[in-house]
Amino acid sequence: MAGCFITFEGGEGAGKSTQIDRLRRRLEQLDQQVIVTREPGGSPYAEEIRSFLLGGHAKSLGPFAEALLFAAARIDHLDTTIVPALRRGTHVLCDRFADSTRAYQGSLGNIDPALIDNLERITLKGVRPDLTFILDLPAEVGLARAGERRARKGEGADRFEEEHASFHNALRQAYLSIAQADPGRCAVINADQAPDEVEAAIWAALRERLPQLTQTMARPLDVA
């Protein structure tokens, strides 16, 4: 793959969308080709599955059924959006990916880790993020932020936002465990600080992990 695949993970209200947009703008200023996408979603069929899942329609079917639906959406997303972009040299910034299934349905849904491993193997077909930012903050802070965002937009809580605080505390620990198990891919970012500070931490980690994205300018700097 000629492009780099970067994913953003974290609990509700962690600020993923804000930081993805900031990173997109910084990369585009270096004349990098970038697309932003999300999961579940990111392709027409996957967006339909997203509406079904986040609307809570699959909750009664149990965590495994939800994991299968996320996998189905992910297959279409990969085939339609992610892989074609990477092959043409475009960098992909994705709001959630396979780690979310591992955290939400795997750890919290008590699905056998071996089953999640097999599901990933079949779904991803070897496609893995080059770098994953895990935006970490206390669950209560994230839930408060998510509530404020919904109030501004006049929206209700989705399938996962409406879960109890204990669910979100366990979710945070699940993500930290994922990062601990795969430190070469995952960078944990303290998201309990101002957006500018979070952005700076992400950029510093990107310069360390994927310096080719940050050190090459396609056009010269303007000289005063």
Side-chain angles (χ1 to χ4, degrees):
M1 299 293 183
C4 289
F5 184 23
I6 302 173
T7 58
F8 286 70
E9 299 282 359
E12 310 301 330
K16 298 185 303 302
S17 297
T18 296
Q19 294 304 324
I20 288 172
D21 187 59
R22 288 181 176 221
L23 181 56
R24 174 192 61 78
R25 286 187 275 118
R26 292 191 75 155
L27 293 175
E28 287 178 344
Q29 288 171 358
L30 301 177
D31 280 349
Q32 302 278 4
Q33 296 297 311
V34 184
I35 65 165
V36 170
T37 189
R38 68 179 183 178
E39 288 213 349
S43 62
Y45 290 134
E47 287 291 336
E48 293 183 17
I49 297 174
R50 176 189 179 89
S51 297
F52 185 79
L53 282 164
L54 298 190
H57 303 297
K59 183 176 181 179
S60 62
L61 302 176
F64 183 58
E66 284 188 323
L68 290 176
L69 286 168
F70 276 110
R74 186 163 296 127
I75 289 170
D76 189 63
H77 187 204
L78 281 163
D79 290 347
T80 305
T81 304
I82 295 175
V83 171
L86 294 174
R87 283 179 175 164
R88 65 177 180 262
T90 298
H91 307 307
V92 177
L93 308 181
C94 190
D95 185 343
R96 299 196 183 284
F97 193 59
D99 290 318
S100 283
T101 300
R102 186 169 289 277
Y104 280 81
Q105 285 74 46
S107 295
L108 300 182
N110 294 317
I111 297 176
D112 187 336
L115 188 56
I116 292 291
D117 289 341
N118 286 331
L119 191 60
E120 282 191 7
R121 178 178 52 80
I122 295 168
T123 302
L124 303 187
K125 300 176 184 176
V127 178
R128 297 278 180 175
D130 296 291
L131 175 60
T132 296
F133 291 113
I134 294 180
L135 304 189
D136 176 58
L137 78 170
E140 60 272 17
V141 175
L143 290 173
R145 289 181 183 177
E148 292 170 0
R149 181 194 65 223
R150 292 196 304 271
R152 288 195 304 270
K153 296 183 177 181
E155 298 175 344
D158 68 26
R159 151 76 178 90
F160 299 103
E161 289 172 337
E162 67 183 8
E163 290 285 354
H164 295 297
S166 59
F167 175 96
H168 294 282
N169 283 316
L171 178 66
R172 181 189 187 189
Q173 295 307 313
Y175 273 123
L176 292 175
S177 295
I178 289 170
Q180 185 177 23
D182 196 353
R185 174 177 63 87
C186 298
V188 178
I189 304 294
N190 176 15
D192 191 15
Q193 52 186 339
D196 286 351
E197 294 175 309
V198 177
E199 179 184 357
I202 288 172
W203 190 250
L206 189 68
R207 291 184 65 182
E208 178 183 351
R209 305 289 188 97
L210 297 173
Q212 69 272 26
L213 294 189
T214 65
Q215 294 180 356
T216 301
M217 298 283 289
R219 58 191 178 198
L221 290 170
D222 293 332
V223 178

Coordinates of all heavy atoms in Angstrom, one line a residue, residues 33-127:
Q33 N -2.1 13.8 0.1 CA -3.4 13.4 -0.3 C -4.0 12.7 0.9 O -3.5 11.6 1.3 CB -3.4 12.6 -1.5 CG -2.9 13.3 -2.8 CD -3.8 14.5 -3.1 OE1 -5.0 14.3 -3.2 NE2 -3.2 15.7 -3.3
V34 N -5.2 13.1 1.4 CA -5.8 12.5 2.6 C -7.3 12.4 2.4 O -7.9 13.3 1.8 CB -5.5 13.4 3.8 CG1 -6.1 12.8 5.1 CG2 -4.1 13.7 4.0
I35 N -7.9 11.3 2.9 CA -9.3 11.2 3.0 C -9.6 10.9 4.5 O -8.8 10.3 5.2 CB -9.9 10.1 2.1 CG1 -9.5 8.7 2.5 CG2 -9.7 10.5 0.6 CD1 -10.3 7.6 1.8
V36 N -10.8 11.3 4.9 CA -11.3 11.0 6.2 C -12.5 10.1 6.1 O -13.4 10.3 5.3 CB -11.7 12.3 7.0 CG1 -12.4 12.0 8.3 CG2 -10.5 13.1 7.3
T37 N -12.6 9.1 6.9 CA -13.7 8.1 6.9 C -14.1 7.7 8.3 O -13.4 8.2 9.3 CB -13.4 7.0 5.9 OG1 -14.6 6.2 5.8 CG2 -12.3 6.1 6.5
R38 N -15.0 6.8 8.5 CA -15.5 6.4 9.8 C -16.0 5.0 9.8 O -16.4 4.5 8.8 CB -16.5 7.4 10.3 CG -17.9 7.3 9.5 CD -18.9 8.2 10.1 NE -20.2 8.1 9.4 CZ -21.3 8.8 9.7 NH1 -21.2 9.7 10.7 NH2 -22.4 8.6 9.1
E39 N -16.1 4.5 11.0 CA -16.8 3.2 11.2 C -17.7 3.3 12.4 O -17.4 4.0 13.4 CB -15.7 2.1 11.4 CG -15.0 1.7 10.1 CD -14.6 0.3 10.1 OE1 -14.7 -0.4 11.1 OE2 -14.2 -0.2 9.0
P40 N -18.8 2.5 12.4 CA -19.3 1.8 11.2 C -19.7 2.9 10.1 O -20.1 4.0 10.5 CB -20.5 1.0 11.7 CG -21.0 1.8 12.9 CD -19.8 2.4 13.5
G41 N -19.5 2.6 8.9 CA -19.9 3.5 7.8 C -18.7 3.6 6.8 O -17.9 2.7 6.7
G42 N -18.7 4.7 6.1 CA -17.6 5.0 5.2 C -17.8 4.5 3.8 O -17.0 4.8 2.9
S43 N -18.9 3.8 3.5 CA -19.3 3.4 2.2 C -20.8 3.3 2.2 O -21.4 3.1 3.3 CB -18.6 2.1 1.8 OG -19.0 1.0 2.7
P44 N -21.5 3.3 1.1 CA -22.9 3.3 1.1 C -23.6 2.2 1.9 O -24.5 2.4 2.7 CB -23.3 3.2 -0.4 CG -22.1 3.9 -1.1 CD -20.9 3.5 -0.3
Y45 N -23.2 0.9 1.7 CA -23.8 -0.2 2.4 C -23.4 -0.2 3.9 O -24.3 -0.4 4.7 CB -23.3 -1.5 1.8 CG -23.9 -1.8 0.4 CD1 -23.1 -2.3 -0.6 CD2 -25.3 -1.6 0.2 CE1 -23.7 -2.5 -1.9 CE2 -25.8 -1.8 -1.1 CZ -25.0 -2.3 -2.1 OH -25.6 -2.5 -3.4
A46 N -22.2 0.2 4.1 CA -21.8 0.3 5.5 C -22.5 1.4 6.3 O -22.8 1.2 7.5 CB -20.3 0.5 5.6
E47 N -22.9 2.5 5.6 CA -23.7 3.5 6.3 C -25.1 3.0 6.7 O -25.6 3.4 7.7 CB -23.7 4.7 5.4 CG -22.4 5.5 5.3 CD -22.1 6.2 6.6 OE1 -23.0 6.5 7.4 OE2 -20.8 6.5 6.8
E48 N -25.6 2.1 5.8 CA -26.9 1.6 6.1 C -26.8 0.7 7.4 O -27.7 0.7 8.2 CB -27.5 0.8 4.9 CG -27.8 1.6 3.7 CD -28.4 0.8 2.6 OE1 -28.8 -0.4 2.8 OE2 -28.4 1.3 1.4
I49 N -25.8 -0.1 7.4 CA -25.6 -0.9 8.6 C -25.3 -0.1 9.8 O -25.8 -0.4 10.9 CB -24.4 -1.9 8.4 CG1 -24.7 -2.9 7.2 CG2 -24.1 -2.7 9.7 CD1 -23.6 -3.8 6.8
R50 N -24.6 1.0 9.7 CA -24.4 2.0 10.8 C -25.7 2.4 11.4 O -25.9 2.4 12.6 CB -23.6 3.2 10.3 CG -23.4 4.2 11.4 CD -22.8 5.5 10.8 NE -22.6 6.5 11.8 CZ -21.5 6.7 12.6 NH1 -20.5 5.8 12.4 NH2 -21.4 7.6 13.5
S51 N -26.6 2.8 10.5 CA -27.9 3.3 11.0 C -28.6 2.2 11.8 O -29.3 2.5 12.9 CB -28.8 3.8 9.9 OG -28.2 4.9 9.2
F52 N -28.6 1.0 11.3 CA -29.2 -0.1 12.0 C -28.6 -0.4 13.4 O -29.3 -0.5 14.4 CB -29.1 -1.4 11.1 CG -29.9 -2.5 11.7 CD1 -31.2 -2.7 11.5 CD2 -29.2 -3.6 12.3 CE1 -31.9 -3.8 12.0 CE2 -29.8 -4.7 12.8 CZ -31.2 -4.8 12.7
L53 N -27.2 -0.4 13.4 CA -26.5 -0.7 14.7 C -26.7 0.4 15.7 O -27.0 0.2 16.9 CB -25.0 -0.9 14.4 CG -24.6 -2.2 13.8 CD1 -23.2 -2.2 13.2 CD2 -24.7 -3.3 14.8
L54 N -26.4 1.7 15.3 CA -26.4 2.8 16.3 C -27.9 3.1 16.7 O -28.1 3.7 17.7 CB -25.7 4.0 15.7 CG -24.2 3.8 15.4 CD1 -23.6 5.1 15.1 CD2 -23.5 3.1 16.6
G55 N -28.8 2.7 15.9 CA -30.2 2.8 16.3 C -30.7 1.8 17.3 O -31.8 1.9 17.8
G56 N -29.8 0.9 17.7 CA -30.1 -0.1 18.7 C -30.8 -1.3 18.2 O -31.3 -2.1 19.1
H57 N -31.0 -1.4 16.9 CA -31.9 -2.5 16.4 C -31.3 -3.9 16.6 O -32.0 -4.9 16.5 CB -32.2 -2.2 15.0 CG -32.9 -0.9 14.7 ND1 -34.1 -0.6 15.3 CD2 -32.5 0.2 14.1 CE1 -34.4 0.7 14.9 NE2 -33.5 1.2 14.2
A58 N -29.9 -3.9 16.7 CA -29.3 -5.2 16.8 C -28.9 -5.6 18.3 O -28.4 -6.7 18.5 CB -28.0 -5.2 16.0
K59 N -29.2 -4.7 19.2 CA -28.8 -4.9 20.6 C -29.4 -6.2 21.1 O -28.7 -7.0 21.8 CB -29.2 -3.7 21.5 CG -28.8 -3.9 22.9 CD -29.1 -2.6 23.7 CE -28.6 -2.7 25.1 NZ -28.9 -1.5 25.9
S60 N -30.7 -6.4 20.8 CA -31.3 -7.6 21.4 C -30.8 -8.9 20.8 O -31.0 -10.0 21.4 CB -32.8 -7.5 21.1 OG -33.1 -7.5 19.7
L61 N -30.1 -8.8 19.7 CA -29.5 -10.0 19.1 C -28.2 -10.5 19.8 O -27.7 -11.6 19.6 CB -29.2 -9.8 17.6 CG -30.4 -9.4 16.8 CD1 -29.9 -9.1 15.3 CD2 -31.4 -10.4 16.8
G62 N -27.6 -9.6 20.6 CA -26.4 -10.0 21.4 C -25.1 -9.5 20.7 O -25.1 -9.1 19.6
P63 N -24.0 -9.5 21.5 CA -22.8 -8.9 21.1 C -22.2 -9.6 19.8 O -21.6 -9.0 19.0 CB -21.8 -9.2 22.3 CG -22.8 -9.2 23.5 CD -24.0 -9.9 22.9
F64 N -22.4 -11.0 19.7 CA -21.8 -11.6 18.6 C -22.5 -11.2 17.3 O -21.8 -11.0 16.3 CB -21.9 -13.2 18.7 CG -21.2 -13.9 17.6 CD1 -19.9 -13.7 17.3 CD2 -22.0 -14.8 16.8 CE1 -19.3 -14.4 16.3 CE2 -21.4 -15.5 15.8 CZ -20.0 -15.3 15.5
A65 N -23.8 -11.1 17.3 CA -24.5 -10.6 16.1 C -24.1 -9.2 15.8 O -23.9 -8.9 14.6 CB -26.0 -10.7 16.4
E66 N -23.9 -8.4 16.8 CA -23.4 -7.0 16.5 C -22.0 -7.1 15.9 O -21.7 -6.3 14.9 CB -23.4 -6.2 17.8 CG -24.7 -5.7 18.3 CD -24.7 -4.7 19.4 OE1 -23.8 -4.9 20.3 OE2 -25.4 -3.8 19.5
A67 N -21.2 -7.9 16.4 CA -19.8 -8.0 15.9 C -19.9 -8.5 14.4 O -19.1 -8.0 13.6 CB -19.0 -9.0 16.7
L68 N -20.8 -9.4 14.1 CA -20.9 -9.8 12.7 C -21.4 -8.7 11.8 O -20.9 -8.5 10.6 CB -21.9 -11.0 12.6 CG -21.4 -12.3 13.2 CD1 -22.5 -13.4 13.1 CD2 -20.1 -12.8 12.4
L69 N -22.3 -7.9 12.3 CA -22.7 -6.7 11.5 C -21.6 -5.7 11.3 O -21.5 -5.1 10.2 CB -24.0 -6.1 12.1 CG -25.3 -6.9 12.0 CD1 -26.3 -6.4 12.9 CD2 -25.8 -6.9 10.6
F70 N -20.9 -5.4 12.3 CA -19.7 -4.5 12.2 C -18.7 -5.1 11.2 O -18.2 -4.3 10.4 CB -19.0 -4.3 13.6 CG -19.7 -3.3 14.4 CD1 -20.4 -3.6 15.6 CD2 -19.6 -1.9 14.1 CE1 -20.9 -2.6 16.4 CE2 -20.1 -1.0 14.9 CZ -20.8 -1.3 16.0
A71 N -18.5 -6.4 11.2 CA -17.6 -7.0 10.3 C -18.1 -6.9 8.8 O -17.3 -6.6 7.9 CB -17.4 -8.5 10.6
A72 N -19.4 -7.1 8.6 CA -20.0 -6.9 7.3 C -19.8 -5.5 6.8 O -19.4 -5.3 5.6 CB -21.5 -7.3 7.3
A73 N -20.0 -4.5 7.6 CA -19.8 -3.1 7.3 C -18.4 -2.9 7.0 O -18.0 -2.1 6.0 CB -20.3 -2.2 8.4
R74 N -17.5 -3.5 7.7 CA -16.1 -3.2 7.6 C -15.6 -3.8 6.2 O -14.7 -3.2 5.6 CB -15.3 -3.8 8.8 CG -13.8 -3.6 8.8 CD -13.2 -3.8 10.2 NE -13.8 -2.9 11.1 CZ -14.4 -3.3 12.3 NH1 -14.5 -4.6 12.6 NH2 -14.9 -2.4 13.1
I75 N -16.1 -4.9 5.9 CA -15.7 -5.5 4.6 C -16.0 -4.6 3.4 O -15.2 -4.3 2.5 CB -16.4 -6.9 4.4 CG1 -15.7 -7.9 5.3 CG2 -16.2 -7.4 2.9 CD1 -16.5 -9.2 5.4
D76 N -17.2 -4.1 3.4 CA -17.6 -3.1 2.3 C -16.8 -1.8 2.4 O -16.4 -1.3 1.4 CB -19.1 -2.8 2.4 CG -19.6 -2.0 1.2 OD1 -19.5 -2.6 0.1 OD2 -20.0 -0.9 1.4
H77 N -16.5 -1.4 3.6 CA -15.7 -0.1 3.8 C -14.3 -0.3 3.3 O -13.8 0.5 2.6 CB -15.7 0.2 5.3 CG -15.1 1.5 5.6 ND1 -14.5 1.8 6.9 CD2 -14.9 2.6 4.9 CE1 -14.1 3.0 6.9 NE2 -14.3 3.5 5.7
L78 N -13.7 -1.5 3.6 CA -12.4 -1.7 3.1 C -12.3 -1.8 1.6 O -11.5 -1.2 0.9 CB -11.9 -3.0 3.7 CG -11.3 -3.0 5.1 CD1 -11.2 -4.4 5.8 CD2 -10.0 -2.3 5.2
D79 N -13.3 -2.6 1.0 CA -13.3 -2.9 -0.4 C -13.6 -1.6 -1.2 O -13.1 -1.4 -2.3 CB -14.3 -4.0 -0.8 CG -13.8 -5.3 -0.3 OD1 -12.7 -5.5 0.1 OD2 -14.7 -6.3 -0.2
T80 N -14.5 -0.8 -0.7 CA -15.0 0.3 -1.4 C -14.2 1.6 -1.2 O -14.0 2.4 -2.2 CB -16.5 0.6 -1.0 OG1 -17.2 -0.6 -1.2 CG2 -17.1 1.7 -1.9
T81 N -13.7 1.8 0.0 CA -13.1 3.1 0.3 C -11.6 3.0 0.7 O -10.8 3.7 0.1 CB -13.9 3.8 1.5 OG1 -15.3 3.9 1.1 CG2 -13.4 5.1 1.8
I82 N -11.3 2.2 1.7 CA -10.0 2.2 2.3 C -8.9 1.7 1.4 O -7.9 2.4 1.1 CB -10.0 1.5 3.7 CG1 -10.9 2.2 4.7 CG2 -8.6 1.4 4.2 CD1 -11.1 1.4 6.0
V83 N -9.1 0.5 0.9 CA -8.0 -0.2 0.1 C -7.8 0.6 -1.2 O -6.6 0.9 -1.5 CB -8.4 -1.6 -0.1 CG1 -7.4 -2.2 -1.1 CG2 -8.3 -2.4 1.2
P84 N -8.8 1.0 -1.9 CA -8.6 1.8 -3.1 C -7.8 3.1 -2.9 O -6.9 3.4 -3.6 CB -10.0 2.1 -3.7 CG -10.8 1.0 -3.2 CD -10.3 0.7 -1.8
A85 N -8.1 3.8 -1.8 CA -7.4 5.0 -1.4 C -5.9 4.7 -1.1 O -5.0 5.4 -1.6 CB -8.0 5.7 -0.2
L86 N -5.7 3.7 -0.3 CA -4.3 3.4 0.0 C -3.5 3.0 -1.2 O -2.3 3.3 -1.3 CB -4.3 2.2 1.1 CG -4.9 2.6 2.4 CD1 -4.9 1.3 3.3 CD2 -4.1 3.7 3.1
R87 N -4.1 2.2 -2.1 CA -3.4 1.8 -3.3 C -3.0 3.0 -4.2 O -2.0 2.9 -4.9 CB -4.2 0.8 -4.1 CG -4.2 -0.6 -3.4 CD -5.1 -1.6 -4.2 NE -5.0 -2.9 -3.6 CZ -5.9 -3.9 -3.8 NH1 -6.9 -3.7 -4.6 NH2 -5.7 -5.1 -3.3
R88 N -3.8 4.0 -4.2 CA -3.4 5.2 -5.1 C -2.6 6.2 -4.4 O -2.3 7.2 -4.9 CB -4.7 5.8 -5.7 CG -5.6 6.5 -4.6 CD -6.8 7.2 -5.3 NE -7.7 7.8 -4.4 CZ -8.8 7.3 -3.9 NH1 -9.2 6.1 -4.4 NH2 -9.5 7.9 -3.0
G89 N -2.1 5.8 -3.1 CA -1.2 6.7 -2.4 C -1.8 7.7 -1.5 O -1.1 8.6 -1.0
T90 N -3.1 7.6 -1.3 CA -3.8 8.5 -0.4 C -3.8 8.0 1.0 O -4.0 6.8 1.2 CB -5.3 8.7 -0.9 OG1 -5.3 9.2 -2.2 CG2 -6.1 9.6 0.0
H91 N -3.5 8.9 1.9 CA -3.5 8.5 3.4 C -5.0 8.5 3.9 O -5.8 9.4 3.5 CB -2.7 9.5 4.2 CG -1.3 9.7 3.6 ND1 -0.4 8.6 3.4 CD2 -0.6 10.8 3.2 CE1 0.7 9.1 2.9 NE2 0.6 10.4 2.8
V92 N -5.3 7.5 4.7 CA -6.6 7.3 5.2 C -6.6 7.6 6.7 O -5.9 6.9 7.5 CB -7.1 5.9 4.9 CG1 -8.5 5.7 5.5 CG2 -7.2 5.7 3.4
L93 N -7.5 8.5 7.2 CA -7.7 8.8 8.6 C -9.1 8.3 8.9 O -10.1 8.7 8.4 CB -7.6 10.3 8.9 CG -6.4 11.0 8.4 CD1 -6.5 12.5 8.8 CD2 -5.1 10.4 8.9
C94 N -9.2 7.3 9.8 CA -10.4 6.6 10.1 C -10.8 6.7 11.5 O -10.1 6.4 12.4 CB -10.3 5.1 9.7 SG -11.9 4.2 9.7
D95 N -12.1 7.2 11.7 CA -12.7 7.3 13.0 C -13.2 6.0 13.4 O -14.3 5.6 13.0 CB -13.8 8.4 13.0 CG -14.4 8.7 14.4 OD1 -14.2 7.9 15.3 OD2 -15.0 9.7 14.5
R96 N -12.5 5.2 14.2 CA -12.8 3.8 14.7 C -12.4 2.8 13.6 O -12.6 3.1 12.4 CB -14.2 3.7 15.2 CG -14.6 4.5 16.4 CD -15.9 4.0 17.0 NE -16.3 4.8 18.1 CZ -15.7 4.8 19.3 NH1 -14.7 4.0 19.6 NH2 -16.2 5.6 20.3
F97 N -12.0 1.6 14.0 CA -11.8 0.5 13.1 C -11.9 -0.8 13.9 O -12.7 -0.8 14.8 CB -10.4 0.7 12.4 CG -10.2 -0.2 11.3 CD1 -11.0 -0.2 10.2 CD2 -9.1 -1.1 11.3 CE1 -10.8 -1.0 9.1 CE2 -8.9 -2.0 10.2 CZ -9.8 -1.9 9.1
A98 N -11.1 -1.8 13.6 CA -11.3 -3.1 14.2 C -11.1 -3.1 15.7 O -11.7 -3.9 16.4 CB -10.4 -4.1 13.5
D99 N -10.3 -2.2 16.2 CA -10.1 -2.1 17.7 C -11.4 -1.9 18.4 O -11.6 -2.3 19.6 CB -9.1 -1.1 18.1 CG -7.7 -1.5 17.7 OD1 -7.3 -2.7 17.9 OD2 -6.9 -0.6 17.2
S100 N -12.3 -1.1 17.8 CA -13.6 -0.8 18.4 C -14.4 -2.1 18.6 O -15.0 -2.3 19.7 CB -14.4 0.2 17.6 OG -13.9 1.5 17.8
T101 N -14.4 -3.0 17.6 CA -15.1 -4.3 17.8 C -14.4 -5.1 18.9 O -15.1 -5.7 19.7 CB -15.0 -5.1 16.4 OG1 -15.7 -4.3 15.4 CG2 -15.8 -6.4 16.6
R102 N -13.1 -5.1 18.9 CA -12.4 -5.8 20.0 C -12.7 -5.3 21.3 O -12.9 -6.1 22.3 CB -10.9 -5.8 19.7 CG -10.1 -6.6 20.6 CD -8.6 -6.7 20.2 NE -8.5 -7.5 18.9 CZ -8.4 -8.8 19.0 NH1 -8.5 -9.5 20.1 NH2 -8.3 -9.5 17.8
A103 N -12.9 -4.0 21.5 CA -13.2 -3.4 22.8 C -14.6 -3.5 23.1 O -15.0 -4.0 24.2 CB -12.8 -1.9 22.7
Y104 N -15.5 -3.1 22.2 CA -17.0 -3.0 22.6 C -17.6 -4.4 22.6 O -18.2 -4.8 23.6 CB -17.7 -2.2 21.5 CG -17.6 -0.7 21.7 CD1 -16.5 0.0 21.3 CD2 -18.7 0.0 22.3 CE1 -16.4 1.4 21.4 CE2 -18.6 1.4 22.5 CZ -17.5 2.1 22.0 OH -17.4 3.4 22.2
Q105 N -17.4 -5.2 21.5 CA -18.1 -6.5 21.5 C -17.2 -7.6 22.1 O -17.7 -8.5 22.7 CB -18.5 -6.9 20.1 CG -19.7 -6.2 19.6 CD -19.4 -4.7 19.2 OE1 -18.4 -4.4 18.6 NE2 -20.3 -3.9 19.6
G106 N -15.9 -7.5 21.9 CA -15.0 -8.5 22.4 C -14.8 -8.4 23.9 O -15.3 -9.4 24.7
S107 N -14.2 -7.4 24.4 CA -14.0 -7.3 25.9 C -15.3 -7.1 26.7 O -15.5 -7.8 27.7 CB -13.1 -6.1 26.2 OG -11.8 -6.3 25.6
L108 N -16.2 -6.2 26.2 CA -17.4 -5.9 27.0 C -18.5 -6.8 26.7 O -19.4 -7.0 27.5 CB -17.8 -4.4 26.8 CG -16.8 -3.4 27.1 CD1 -17.3 -2.0 26.9 CD2 -16.3 -3.5 28.6
G109 N -18.5 -7.4 25.5 CA -19.5 -8.4 25.2 C -19.1 -9.8 25.6 O -19.9 -10.8 25.3
N110 N -17.9 -10.0 26.1 CA -17.4 -11.3 26.5 C -17.4 -12.3 25.4 O -17.6 -13.5 25.7 CB -18.3 -11.8 27.7 CG -18.1 -11.0 29.0 OD1 -17.0 -10.6 29.3 ND2 -19.2 -10.7 29.6
I111 N -17.1 -11.9 24.2 CA -16.9 -12.8 23.1 C -15.4 -13.4 23.2 O -14.5 -12.7 23.5 CB -17.0 -12.1 21.8 CG1 -18.5 -11.6 21.6 CG2 -16.7 -13.1 20.6 CD1 -18.7 -10.8 20.4
D112 N -15.3 -14.7 23.0 CA -14.0 -15.3 23.1 C -13.0 -14.6 22.2 O -13.2 -14.4 21.0 CB -14.2 -16.8 22.5 CG -12.9 -17.6 22.7 OD1 -11.8 -17.1 22.8 OD2 -13.1 -18.9 22.8
P113 N -11.8 -14.2 22.8 CA -10.8 -13.5 22.0 C -10.4 -14.3 20.7 O -10.1 -13.6 19.7 CB -9.6 -13.4 23.0 CG -10.3 -13.4 24.3 CD -11.5 -14.3 24.2
A114 N -10.4 -15.6 20.8 CA -10.0 -16.4 19.6 C -11.0 -16.2 18.5 O -10.7 -16.1 17.3 CB -9.9 -17.8 20.0
L115 N -12.3 -16.0 18.9 CA -13.3 -15.8 17.9 C -13.2 -14.4 17.2 O -13.3 -14.2 16.0 CB -14.7 -15.9 18.5 CG -15.9 -15.9 17.6 CD1 -15.8 -17.0 16.5 CD2 -17.2 -16.1 18.4
I116 N -12.8 -13.4 18.1 CA -12.6 -12.1 17.5 C -11.4 -12.1 16.6 O -11.4 -11.5 15.5 CB -12.3 -11.1 18.7 CG1 -13.7 -10.8 19.5 CG2 -11.8 -9.7 18.2 CD1 -14.7 -10.1 18.7
D117 N -10.3 -12.8 17.0 CA -9.1 -13.0 16.1 C -9.5 -13.5 14.8 O -9.0 -13.0 13.7 CB -8.1 -13.9 16.8 CG -7.4 -13.2 18.0 OD1 -7.5 -12.0 18.1 OD2 -6.8 -13.9 18.8
N118 N -10.3 -14.6 14.8 CA -10.7 -15.2 13.5 C -11.5 -14.3 12.7 O -11.4 -14.2 11.4 CB -11.4 -16.5 13.8 CG -10.5 -17.6 14.2 OD1 -9.3 -17.6 13.9 ND2 -11.0 -18.5 15.0
L119 N -12.4 -13.5 13.3 CA -13.3 -12.6 12.6 C -12.4 -11.5 12.0 O -12.7 -11.1 10.8 CB -14.3 -12.0 13.6 CG -15.5 -11.2 13.0 CD1 -16.3 -12.0 12.0 CD2 -16.3 -10.6 14.1
E120 N -11.5 -11.0 12.7 CA -10.6 -10.0 12.2 C -9.8 -10.5 11.0 O -9.6 -9.9 9.9 CB -9.6 -9.5 13.2 CG -10.2 -8.5 14.2 CD -9.1 -7.8 15.1 OE1 -7.9 -8.1 14.8 OE2 -9.5 -7.1 16.0
R121 N -9.3 -11.8 11.1 CA -8.5 -12.4 10.0 C -9.3 -12.5 8.7 O -8.8 -12.1 7.7 CB -8.0 -13.7 10.5 CG -7.2 -14.5 9.4 CD -6.7 -15.8 9.9 NE -7.8 -16.6 10.5 CZ -8.7 -17.3 9.8 NH1 -8.6 -17.3 8.4 NH2 -9.6 -18.0 10.4
I122 N -10.5 -12.9 8.9 CA -11.4 -13.0 7.7 C -11.8 -11.7 7.1 O -11.8 -11.4 5.9 CB -12.6 -13.8 8.0 CG1 -12.3 -15.3 8.4 CG2 -13.7 -13.8 6.9 CD1 -13.4 -16.1 9.1
T123 N -12.1 -10.7 8.0 CA -12.6 -9.4 7.6 C -11.5 -8.5 7.0 O -11.7 -7.9 5.9 CB -13.2 -8.7 8.8 OG1 -14.3 -9.5 9.3 CG2 -13.8 -7.3 8.4
L124 N -10.4 -8.4 7.7 CA -9.3 -7.5 7.3 C -8.5 -7.9 6.1 O -7.9 -7.1 5.5 CB -8.4 -7.2 8.5 CG -9.2 -6.6 9.8 CD1 -8.1 -6.2 10.8 CD2 -10.1 -5.5 9.5
K125 N -8.3 -9.2 6.0 CA -7.5 -9.8 4.9 C -6.1 -9.1 4.8 O -5.6 -8.8 3.8 CB -8.2 -9.5 3.5 CG -9.6 -10.2 3.4 CD -10.2 -9.8 2.1 CE -11.6 -10.3 2.0 NZ -12.4 -9.9 0.8
G126 N -5.5 -9.0 6.0 CA -4.2 -8.5 6.1 C -4.0 -7.0 6.2 O -2.9 -6.5 6.4
V127 N -5.1 -6.3 6.1 CA -5.1 -4.8 6.1 C -5.1 -4.4 7.6 O -6.0 -4.7 8.3 CB -6.2 -4.1 5.4 CG1 -6.2 -2.6 5.5 CG2 -6.2 -4.5 3.9

